[in-house]
Amino acid sequence: MPNRLAHETSPYLLQHADNPVDWWPWSAEAFDEARERGVPVLLSVGYSSCHWCHVLASESFEDEVTAAFMNDHFVNIKVDREERPDVDAVYMEAVQAATGQGGWPMTVFLTPDAEPFYFGTYFPPEPRHGMPSFRQVLEGVRQAWDDRRDEVGEVAGKIVRDLAQREIDYQTDRVPGEPDLAQALLGLTREYDPQRGGFGGAPKFPPSMVLEFLLRHHARTGAEGALQMAQDTCERMARGGIYDQLGGGFARYSVDRDWVVPHFEKMLYDNALLCRVYAHLWRATARGGAADGLSDLARRVALETADFMVRELRTGEGGFASALDADSDDGSGRHVEGAYYVWTPGQLRDALGDEDAESAAQYFGVTEEGTFEHGQSVLQLPQTEGVFEAGKIASIKERLLDRRAQRPAPGRDDKVVAAWNGLAIAALAETGAYFGRPDLVEAALFAADLLVRVHLDDHARLARTSKDGRVGPNAGVLEDYADVAEGFLALASVTGEGVWLDFAGLLLDHVLARFTDPDNGALYDTASDAERLIRRPQDPTDNATPSGWTAAAGALLSYAAHTGSEPHRVAAERALGVVKALGPRVPRFIGWGLAAAEGLLDGPREVAVVGPSLGDERTTALHRTALLGTAPGAVVAVGTPDSDEFPLLADRPLVDGEPAAYVCRNFTCDVPTTDPERLGAALNIR
């Protein structure tokens, strides 16, 4: 049997390369094979750190009898949803429309023309809790295909027609205004959990994009309720088990409402987004208003999360790996979720001795009963900081971290995803600049360099992924272009290197030319010249990451603020029309668009800092103050008056020979200042 997955770049596909299932990667050849054999396609979609994907694989795909049945009656296609988000999105929409729910692993049966006719997610090896077994599903689909082929074709055709009618009712002339954002805030207030922070019930996900909106809304309007929701949510997440109290970084989500027990996989995108949120929370609260303890917590979590990304996710080529698995060896040869992270009182005693173990148990909330399974506890941070001497706690954490490092580590998905690296670049660049950590800025620069060298071709087209420095076969989607542009724009503001502004412009030109509907400004997730699927995916709502649509709108707006480009400004405004339509109705799912709209309402402001040199202390002070400004969506350019790297610097001279800062909107500037305090006041630093 040919091993068609052996040379793929996806770690998820490589995990299945040795299955007895005759897997195909997504390809035209696979569908040709289905036509030639006259059999349906079994499409299995997942990702490498997906717990239930591993369970399905071990129960069914590694079973010789099940695999033989699959090989005899289907052409089996394995897809990594992180490499092919377009394929995932199209068929997930069908699954959700048909069943009202979705998830991974996703199992979809298709005709040889790629039209879906039966759906599901995880199926157990035996019937369970009202679910059929995987083998029963296979046999039922095979029988329907053999005995009722015409009926199957009718069902598939109807599903495709129904999907085609689910176009977004989009009107280009509606730009979100103050009433829309106020209504969105009211909607969030109604869904807010005041006892625990966050929104909704269990499972509870970090609301990263909504938190960005809340911080920006407070900066623009002074609404204390917005800041309070952001503060309380961030504090409760940082004190909960969803945050790794020893090594830093956040797990994917909490299975409970109290942030106690996480689903332990750690994703690059979550940590990039949350690193930036906590850095922005510190920026908003470090001066006046909030307690010092919260500002210190925000600073610590931002830096620890940044250090986690660099320490545990950075690849040898300088990019950032996609994820760490939830499961690891528990020491007995079994792969168990959370085994790397949880503790019992006995394990604390073994690592620390009786006295320090008692302190650690009290500090981290470890009990004999446990907060997880089998008497194990997920480390939390109850309100105990003042009870123990800081040096003692630092010693305990260091010793526990050393002991944990001796456990079998979770697997790592080394795939470099362009979009998620763009988010990491923005987070590391800003966090490094805020807290005087040039090493973090350098890490962002290395990752950006990898994207340019490996992911970007001679026509400035992005590849979605790479692994071990080898570019993957799949084209970048809208979120790749948008999030990488976002990262490059942040790098440009932090470093004063205009080349990153230029690269962002090249990517955003592709957004205008290949992803935008010329008639109404709506955006598509795939390019106009991308592989044609049964539907061209188009989703403006956030999921685990910002939607490509709203991320592109935000990047277009920032680029226009940097350059004065009217086409980019108009494209941003047209794209943000979707926020007016959805923001008041579903604010939890369009947080990034709401955040971008805050920038639009504020200008956004353009800050030009000029000095005799980038190393000049007075110039550095103004530049740092500009970066710490809370004005929503503000962009910063720094350089010498004669620099041609940033259009914002043109015709911006020194003032009486002194470094100066110009605060502008639409390239019309206020009186320049040489005083960092006045600059801070002009940028809404509260």
Side-chain angles (χ1 to χ4, degrees):
M1 183 171 68
N3 189 336
R4 300 184 185 87
L5 304 185
H7 301 293
E8 294 292 317
T9 57
S10 161
Y12 176 63
L13 268 58
L14 292 171
Q15 288 171 358
H16 292 272
D18 295 326
N19 290 167
V21 177
D22 183 14
W23 290 114
W24 292 71
W26 180 273
S27 60
E29 291 77 10
F31 289 97
D32 289 342
E33 174 76 3
R35 289 188 194 92
E36 183 174 336
R37 289 176 51 195
V39 298
V41 168
L42 189 162
L43 172 65
S44 177
V45 182
Y47 57 104
S48 74
S49 57
C50 165
H51 171 74
W52 287 103
C53 299
H54 294 312
V55 173
L56 180 62
S58 64
E59 292 174 344
S60 297
F61 299 152
E62 294 173 10
D63 178 72
E64 295 282 353
V65 175
T66 301
F69 190 89
M70 293 170 64
N71 296 338
D72 287 343
H73 299 288
F74 303 92
V75 168
N76 304 291
I77 297 180
K78 178 61 73 174
V79 167
D80 183 341
R81 66 174 295 259
E82 296 173 350
E83 280 208 337
R84 290 301 303 263
D86 52 339
V87 172
D88 177 64
V90 165
Y91 292 105
M92 183 59 72
E93 185 176 18
V95 172
Q96 291 173 329
T99 68
Q101 58 187 3
W104 300 275
M106 177 170 62
T107 307
V108 186
F109 294 90
L110 315 175
T111 71
D113 292 325
E115 297 178 335
F117 62 88
Y118 190 79
F119 322 90
T121 52
Y122 164 77
F123 292 105
E126 303 294 338
R128 185 186 306 161
H129 306 306
M131 282 193 296
S133 71
F134 187 59
R135 181 62 180 267
Q136 287 174 325
V137 170
L138 295 176
E139 290 174 345
V141 170
R142 190 268 306 167
Q143 185 174 13
W145 182 261
D146 289 346
D147 299 342
R148 304 190 304 277
R149 183 82 56 90
D150 290 344
E151 181 181 333
V152 168
E154 289 175 6
V155 169
K158 183 179 185 303
I159 290 171
V160 171
R161 289 192 298 273
D162 288 346
L163 290 175
Q165 293 171 4
R166 295 165 66 91
E167 293 291 337
I168 296 170
D169 182 16
Y170 186 70
Q171 299 181 29
T172 182
D173 58 347
R174 303 193 303 168
V175 176
E178 179 65 49
D180 303 300
L181 301 188
Q183 190 67 28
L185 180 64
L186 180 61
L188 290 170
T189 303
R190 293 189 183 117
E191 297 187 64
Y192 182 65
D193 183 343
Q195 279 76 45
R196 306 166 184 87
F199 302 88
K204 190 171 276 185
F205 291 81
S208 307
M209 290 71 81
V210 166
L211 292 172
E212 283 288 351
F213 162 62
L214 293 173
L215 291 173
R216 287 190 177 197
H217 188 77
H218 169 258
R220 185 179 62 83
T221 68
E224 290 300 324
L227 180 61
Q228 196 66 50
M229 284 192 285
Q231 287 176 330
D232 291 349
T233 299
C234 285
E235 181 171 8
R236 283 166 173 78
M237 289 194 301
R239 292 184 177 280
I242 193 173
Y243 184 67
D244 183 349
Q245 302 295 342
L246 295 182
F250 288 85
R252 178 70 196 95
Y253 61 86
S254 173
V255 301
D256 59 279
R257 297 182 65 177
D258 295 299
W259 308 107
V260 175
V261 178
H263 179 47
F264 290 89
E265 64 182 340
K266 285 180 167 181
M267 310 300 297
L268 173 62
Y269 51 73
D270 284 317
N271 285 283
L273 289 164
L274 287 166
C275 176
R276 205 175 185 192
V277 163
Y278 280 89
H280 290 173
L281 177 63
W282 172 85
R283 183 176 67 176
T285 60
R287 297 163 179 79
D292 289 341
L294 179 61
S295 299
D296 290 345
L297 179 70
R299 180 182 190 276
R300 177 174 66 79
V301 171
L303 285 170
E304 287 178 354
T305 303
D307 286 336
F308 156 74
M309 287 191 287
V310 173
R311 182 182 67 249
E312 297 192 34
L313 294 179
R314 193 175 183 187
T315 69
E317 296 73 35
F320 290 92
S322 297
L324 298 180
D325 286 355
D327 303 355
S328 58
D329 192 323
D330 67 353
S332 68
R334 296 184 308 124
H335 266 63
V336 177
E337 183 175 1
Y340 188 69
Y341 299 101
V342 295
W343 297 82
T344 64
Q347 289 172 325
L348 294 182
R349 288 191 293 271
D350 288 344
L352 302 170
D354 290 346
E355 181 180 346
D356 283 352
E358 184 176 346
S359 298
Q362 185 178 351
Y363 187 80
F364 290 120
V366 177
T367 66
E368 291 291 343
E369 297 79 12
T371 57
F372 186 49
E373 300 170 345
H374 312 301
Q376 302 170 110
S377 291
V378 183
L379 301 190
Q380 302 174 71
L381 188 62
Q383 298 279 356
T384 53
E385 290 95 323
V387 177
F388 300 101
E389 190 267 323
K392 180 176 183 177
I393 292 301
S395 172
I396 286 173
K397 290 178 69 172
E398 182 178 357
R399 289 149 65 195
L400 288 179
L401 197 59
D402 287 344
R403 177 60 65 93
R404 192 175 80 175
Q406 298 172 26
R407 298 175 174 178
R412 188 173 84 164
D413 182 338
D414 283 333
K415 172 175 78 268
V416 171
V417 176
W420 307 348
N421 273 253
L423 296 174
I425 289 164
L428 292 171
E430 291 182 354
T431 303
Y434 296 169
F435 302 121
R437 287 282 302 274
D439 59 310
L440 298 180
V441 178
E442 184 179 24
L445 284 165
F446 274 116
D449 181 65
L450 174 72
L451 293 180
V452 171
R453 286 187 295 104
V454 176
H455 287 245
L456 208 61
D457 70 10
D458 293 341
H459 302 286
R461 294 190 178 213
L462 268 177
R464 170 73 174 173
T465 62
S466 67
K467 186 176 182 294
D468 301 327
R470 183 164 69 96
V471 68
N474 301 306
V477 295
L478 179 60
E479 71 162 353
D480 294 305
Y481 285 84
D483 290 339
V484 173
E486 176 82 10
F488 287 174
L489 289 166
L491 263 187
S493 288
V494 165
T495 64
E497 297 176 5
V499 64
W500 301 113
L501 178 64
D502 296 338
F503 278 126
L506 293 173
L507 296 175
L508 293 172
D509 285 345
H510 279 291
V511 171
L512 297 182
R514 300 169 56 229
F515 292 88
T516 304
D517 188 322
D519 295 328
N520 61 13
L523 294 166
Y524 289 91
D525 293 328
T526 54
S528 55
D529 54 353
E531 177 188 352
R532 293 183 65 85
L533 303 175
I534 60 169
R535 169 177 165 81
R536 189 177 181 189
Q538 181 186 48
D539 187 356
T541 58
D542 300 329
N543 198 295
T545 57
S547 74
W549 183 319
T550 56
L556 287 163
L557 186 64
S558 295
Y559 184 77
H562 261 296
T563 62
S565 168
E566 188 66 15
H568 292 83
R569 171 82 182 199
V570 169
E573 291 178 350
R574 296 177 83 195
L576 286 174
V578 77
V579 177
K580 186 176 183 70
L582 298 180
R585 291 165 41 204
V586 288
R588 281 176 57 190
F589 303 102
I590 197 157
W592 202 264
L594 291 166
E598 287 288 348
L600 180 66
L601 264 63
D602 197 62
R605 300 184 211 191
E606 308 137 5
V607 187
V609 177
V610 292
S613 69
L614 287 180
D616 175 77
E617 290 185 4
R618 299 163 301 170
T619 307
T620 299
L622 287 170
H623 182 214
R624 175 174 166 76
T625 301
L627 293 173
L628 292 177
T630 58
V635 301
V636 178
V638 60
T640 59
D642 58 352
S643 171
D644 60 359
E645 292 198 65
F646 293 94
L648 271 176
L649 300 179
D651 302 319
R652 309 279 188 258
L654 303 179
V655 174
D656 297 328
E658 295 285 317
Y662 296 77
V663 179
C664 320
R665 286 186 177 92
N666 295 318
F667 275 62
T668 300
C669 303
D670 297 335
V671 175
T673 181
T674 61
D675 182 359
E677 288 191 12
R678 288 189 177 182
L679 175 60
L683 293 176
N684 278 355
I685 295 179
R686 298 182 181 276

